[in-house]
Amino acid sequence: MLLGLVRPDAGEVMLLGRPGPDPRAREEVGYLPELFRYQPWLSAAEVLALHVRLARADVPEREQRDCLALVGLAARAGDRVGGFSKGMQQRLGLAVALVARPELVVLDEPTSALDPVGRVDVRDLVLDLKARGVAVLLNSHLIGEVERVCDRVVILDEGRVAASGTLAELLGQRELRLRLGAVTAAAEARMAATGAVARSGDAFTVALPADEDGVTVPRLVADLVALGVQVHAVEPGRITLEERLLGILRHEEAP
Amino acid sequence: MTVLTVAGLTLREASRRKVLRALVVLTLALLGLSAWGFSRLSPQLDLTSGESRLVAAQVLNLVMFGLSLIAALGTAFLAGPTLSGEVESGMALAVLARPVRRAAVLAGKWLGLVAFGSAFVALAGVAEFVVVQLTLGYWPPDPVTGLLLLAAQTAVLLTLTLLLATVVSPMASGIVAVGLFGATWIAGVVGSVGDVIGNEGVARVGTVSRVLLPTDGLWQGAMYSFQDSSLLRLAGVQGTSPFFGTAPLSVAYLAWVVVWVLLIGGLAALSYQRRDV
């Protein structure tokens, strides 16, 4: 619908500042469909050249070849797409989505046909795009993939937005669960300095700052030990996106 | 721009698919058979020069009908897969997500297929003229007009196939288009029978079908340009005939063909525009 492939029943689409039905709205968009098939009678390089022309982009041949190399198809540039495996066609699809220097890349299940190495390649690619300031709309059922690369997540349930927000917003604040003995007032003050503390018997829960940099927890533990506290257990208290997703889709209350 | 890009793509598709090889084999078979047949024909019959020219014109028409059938079948079965086949397989997704208008993509495909069909008609037609010239010593009076009309016939059928391909499956659109092509030809024959027996109602069948789908009308015009008009008097043909074109096409009819193509093409664009891919 975003790309004008399917007609919406209602509502309107705005894409990169233009109304969706205007073809020019798609000038800066790269798209890898879930059902990826490319002209089997063309070679990989010819498919890219075709899409560059269709996108009215001015991309030199060298850059097109680099794009094929980026997805690991440099050696097969001259081969007919008809002889490609599904994984190779998906890699080609990624190259097609990226070749016309897009501002927005829409990837629909981009790793469905890829082996584990290919999946890591795609993840790195997406992170690279993100670093270059290209917006990526990733549609995926692979939650781990989403959790690793996405800034903002939208969870759809039967076509309706069930939840949306940044990962931190969706998953709630991170927290640290501790089981401690011989807790002194000084130790409690040390924990309170990190974040809000909740206590129930010898179990403490400390809220961690959202921009936690990886040293907060070890420092806190070291300081507690220095204060004579007996540390029995330290457990990072973050639910995974998968748990959250299942919670939402099974209509459980958010934690 | 998009139109030309897609036209080029369609031409490349046509040239790289197996359908081209099938077309070449069929055409060569037809040319070879006709050459062999004609070379046997001329010495066996003891004909006057007028009669032999009449026979030559008649067999030329017959073979050209075969060629036009091959062109029609070939393009119809190319047009189906290139449109609805691409939608079904998902090939259209990546293309239509580009900043292109669907009407431009459709126009590009149409242009590419028309160029392909016309090139085929021109090459095969000229080859057949040469065969007839060498074997029977007959050269049609107006080959260029005739070939143009045959190319137009191919374009007409192609436009119809594209319209069908926007709504039904690739194979079905090819079959329906070729079926309709055959049906109008038969309606044309029925109409000429009506002419011969002087039954206006039956004759009207041919006229109406020629308006609804102009392939047979264009074919009649093409036949007229392939034969010497003096032969008609010799053959004593009146009204229309499946084997003779009896009159040149009127300007009004040619204009109607153009309108028809625009109308059906416009409908196809509308239907393609509204289709979910």
Side-chain angles (χ1 to χ4, degrees), chain A residues 4-7 23 26-27 29 31 33 35 37-42 46 51 53-56 80 96, chain B residues 2 5 9 12-13 16-17 86 89-91 93-102 274-277:
Chain A
L5 298 173
V6 179
R7 289 161 63 83
R26 302 192 289 270
E27 267 171 13
V29 179
Y31 173 49
L35 185 62
R37 273 278 308 249
Y38 298 90
Q39 291 71 7
W41 60 89
L42 294 180
E46 286 170 335
H51 278 268
R53 275 204 302 280
L54 286 177
R56 297 193 195 88
R80 292 264 176 105
V96 166
Chain B
T2 307
T5 307
L9 179 72
R12 210 150 29 154
E13 172 184 4
R16 288 188 188 175
R17 278 184 101 114
E86 277 189 13
S89 71
M91 233 183 290
L93 286 174
V95 171
L96 295 181
R98 290 292 172 194
V100 295
R101 289 190 187 282
R102 291 199 188 176
R274 299 179 67 87
R275 180 170 182 175
D276 288 348
V277 297

Side-chain angles (χ1 to χ4, degrees), chain A residues 39-51 53-54 80, chain B residues 4-20 78 82 108-109 112-113 115-116:
Chain A
Q39 291 71 7
W41 60 89
L42 294 180
S43 72
E46 286 170 335
V47 169
L48 283 199
L50 166 71
H51 278 268
R53 275 204 302 280
L54 286 177
R80 292 264 176 105
Chain B
L4 291 181
T5 307
V6 177
L9 179 72
T10 310
L11 271 179
R12 210 150 29 154
E13 172 184 4
S15 66
R16 288 188 188 175
R17 278 184 101 114
K18 290 196 182 89
V19 70
L20 182 71
L78 263 173
T82 196
K109 286 197 178 295
L113 287 166
F116 179 78

Side-chain angles (χ1 to χ4, degrees), chain B residues 215-235:
Chain B
T215 48
D216 188 55
L218 289 167
W219 165 240
Q220 294 280 340
M223 279 196 298
Y224 182 81
S225 351
F226 292 145
Q227 74 215 357
D228 215 319
S229 50
S230 61
L231 296 175
L232 284 175
R233 286 190 297 279
L234 191 70

Side-chain angles (χ1 to χ4, degrees), chain B:
Chain B
M1 177 66 188
T2 307
V3 175
L4 291 181
T5 307
V6 177
L9 179 72
T10 310
L11 271 179
R12 210 150 29 154
E13 172 184 4
S15 66
R16 288 188 188 175
R17 278 184 101 114
K18 290 196 182 89
V19 70
L20 182 71
R21 262 168 277 168
L23 230 92
V24 168
V25 169
L26 272 174
T27 312
L28 286 180
L30 188 64
L31 288 175
L33 272 175
S34 64
W36 179 70
F38 295 167
S39 63
R40 307 273 300 167
L41 187 71
S42 42
Q44 273 185 6
L45 298 171
D46 190 20
L47 299 170
T48 62
S49 67
E51 280 172 334
S52 80
R53 282 173 68 75
L54 184 66
V55 169
Q58 200 156 0
V59 287
L60 175 65
N61 277 349
L62 216 59
V63 176
M64 290 311 281
F65 181 73
L67 280 181
S68 77
L69 197 66
I70 294 177
L73 281 169
T75 47
F77 279 95
L78 263 173
T82 196
L83 202 70
S84 66
E86 277 189 13
V87 172
E88 277 184 6
S89 71
M91 233 183 290
L93 286 174
V95 171
L96 295 181
R98 290 292 172 194
V100 295
R101 289 190 187 282
R102 291 199 188 176
V105 172
L106 193 75
K109 286 197 178 295
W110 184 85
L111 192 66
L113 287 166
V114 166
F116 179 78
S118 306
F120 169 79
V121 164
L123 280 176
V126 169
E128 184 57 37
F129 292 158
V130 171
V131 164
V132 175
Q133 167 72 27
L134 290 179
T135 52
L136 298 174
Y138 176 79
W139 188 258
D142 197 357
V144 176
T145 312
L147 290 181
L148 280 177
L149 289 175
L150 276 191
Q153 185 196 8
T154 313
V156 161
L157 192 64
L158 185 69
T159 316
L160 179 68
T161 317
L162 281 182
L163 170 63
L164 291 169
T166 59
V167 280
V168 294
S169 76
M171 209 32 104
S173 60
I175 290 170
V176 172
V178 171
L180 286 174
F181 172 80
T184 28
W185 183 74
I186 290 170
V189 174
V190 169
S192 61
V193 168
D195 273 338
V196 170
I197 60 173
N199 185 325
E200 247 179 66
V202 176
R204 202 167 290 139
V205 172
T207 316
V208 169
S209 79
R210 261 174 231 129
V211 170
L212 289 180
L213 179 63
T215 48
D216 188 55
L218 289 167
W219 165 240
Q220 294 280 340
M223 279 196 298
Y224 182 81
S225 351
F226 292 145
Q227 74 215 357
D228 215 319
S229 50
S230 61
L231 296 175
L232 284 175
R233 286 190 297 279
L234 191 70
V237 181
Q238 265 154 26
T240 56
S241 149
F243 301 116
F244 285 104
T246 43
L249 292 180
S250 63
V251 176
Y253 189 75
L254 288 176
W256 164 243
V257 171
V258 173
V259 171
W260 189 92
V261 167
L262 288 176
L263 211 67
I264 298 294
L267 267 180
L270 206 66
S271 155
Y272 195 45
Q273 188 74 41
R274 299 179 67 87
R275 180 170 182 175
D276 288 348
V277 297

